[in-house]
Amino acid sequence: MRIDVLTLFPEAFRGPLDVSIVKRAREDGLLDLHIYDIREHATDRHRTVDDYPFGGGQGMVMRVDVLDRALEFVRARAPERGLVVYLTPAGERLNDRIVRELAAEPRLILVCGRYEGVDERFVEHFVDREISIGDYVLTGGELPAMVLIDAVTRHIPGALGDAASPEEESFADGLLEHPQYTRPAEYKGWSVPEVLLSGHHAKIEAWRRQQRLERTRERRPDLLEGKEEEDDPG
């Protein structure tokens, strides 16, 4: 899978994407990641990428002409046209379903906004999907892009080394993940649930399923639509 990132701050991506699973996926050739500086496509000596909003208002807006040139340049780097994703608080909120949809694409082009956002004409004519990582505002789209890259990479075949791993995590079946335990079996009087030490796989799976339901009911009841009815034996 190829991911291209358009940003005003390429240096922000150094470090977070050079460790752990993302690093291994890049080294193994599973993830082809490229970061591009939008300022390289400004035409004036000051490398201007933004301007005041028409109609007045606070802040600055990223220019459609600069973004258009930057996107055209990046698209030419690979044969696949690529799905253009703009990271913005106004986008659809990222969830497991969207991550899986994006992971199925051969190429993503992520556009990181800054300031008051980008000229709407760029969104209307070039952007395929607008994505938000939550109902809050960040300084720019760089951190959301990193979150998206990390989440998508986990679904690239071979990236985790265990094909079943993504299916056992939170949200894989629409529920939060069950509690996890490891050695020692007892610590400071705190014991691991006996069922996990029983070796009875059916009972362990039933316990984990119940824990997922209870944890989701307590922390994210919005995820439970239809789930409790499905699990009701009556």
Side-chain angles (χ1 to χ4, degrees), residues 4-231:
D4 300 282
V5 181
L6 279 166
T7 173
L8 293 177
F9 298 95
E11 62 274 16
F13 292 85
R14 298 177 192 142
L17 302 181
D18 297 322
V19 297
S20 191
I21 291 170
V22 176
K23 178 185 179 181
R24 291 198 302 271
R26 297 174 69 182
E27 291 176 341
D28 293 343
L30 302 174
L31 173 63
D32 189 15
L33 179 65
H34 300 267
I35 312 296
Y36 297 94
D37 189 347
I38 295 171
R39 291 188 188 279
E40 296 294 329
H41 303 279
T43 56
D44 66 324
R45 64 189 182 92
H46 298 295
R47 302 175 77 197
T48 305
V49 297
D50 59 345
D51 211 329
Y52 295 103
F54 283 127
Q58 297 291 326
M60 306 288 277
V61 177
M62 294 176 68
R63 294 172 51 137
V64 62
D65 55 340
V66 178
L67 288 166
D68 183 10
R69 286 192 295 271
L71 180 58
E72 183 179 11
F73 174 83
V74 168
R75 273 195 163 141
R77 303 304 102 190
E80 302 90 355
R81 180 172 177 79
L83 187 81
V84 179
V85 178
Y86 171 44
L87 287 309
T88 168
E92 53 186 325
R93 188 161 60 182
L94 188 65
N95 58 27
D96 188 65
R97 173 185 59 81
I98 294 173
V99 167
R100 291 168 184 268
E101 291 173 1
L102 296 178
E105 296 287 336
R107 185 186 187 190
L108 299 176
I109 300 176
L110 309 184
V111 181
C112 303
R114 278 273 165 168
Y115 315 124
E116 293 303 308
V118 307
D119 189 303
E120 187 65 20
R121 290 169 292 182
F122 179 77
V123 178
E124 291 175 355
H125 297 285
F126 297 105
V127 171
D128 298 305
R129 296 189 77 162
E130 298 176 69
I131 300 293
S132 166
I133 63 167
D135 298 335
Y136 46 86
V137 178
L138 296 171
T139 305
E142 285 74 21
L143 287 173
M146 293 179 215
V147 169
L148 182 57
I149 292 168
D150 188 288
V152 165
T153 299
R154 300 180 67 83
H155 291 278
I156 298 175
L160 295 183
D162 179 354
S165 293
E167 307 308 320
E168 298 173 355
E169 298 178 327
S170 288
F171 308 111
D173 61 354
L175 301 174
L176 300 182
E177 191 174 19
H178 53 77
Q180 300 278 12
Y181 298 87
T182 189
R183 293 181 176 85
E186 185 169 333
Y187 180 70
K188 292 187 175 180
W190 308 325
S191 299
V192 172
E194 288 186 13
V195 65
L196 299 179
L197 307 176
S198 68
H200 195 300
H201 297 296
K203 289 183 178 180
I204 291 172
E205 182 50 40
W207 179 87
R208 286 175 171 169
R209 177 70 180 179
Q210 185 60 36
Q211 290 295 311
R212 289 198 293 272
L213 282 166
E214 290 180 5
R215 178 170 282 191
T216 305
R217 186 183 301 116
E218 176 184 344
R219 303 181 184 183
R220 290 292 304 278
D222 56 297
L223 297 175
L224 273 178
E225 298 174 358
K227 286 291 180 185
E228 292 183 291
E229 289 79 0
E230 293 174 10
D231 286 279

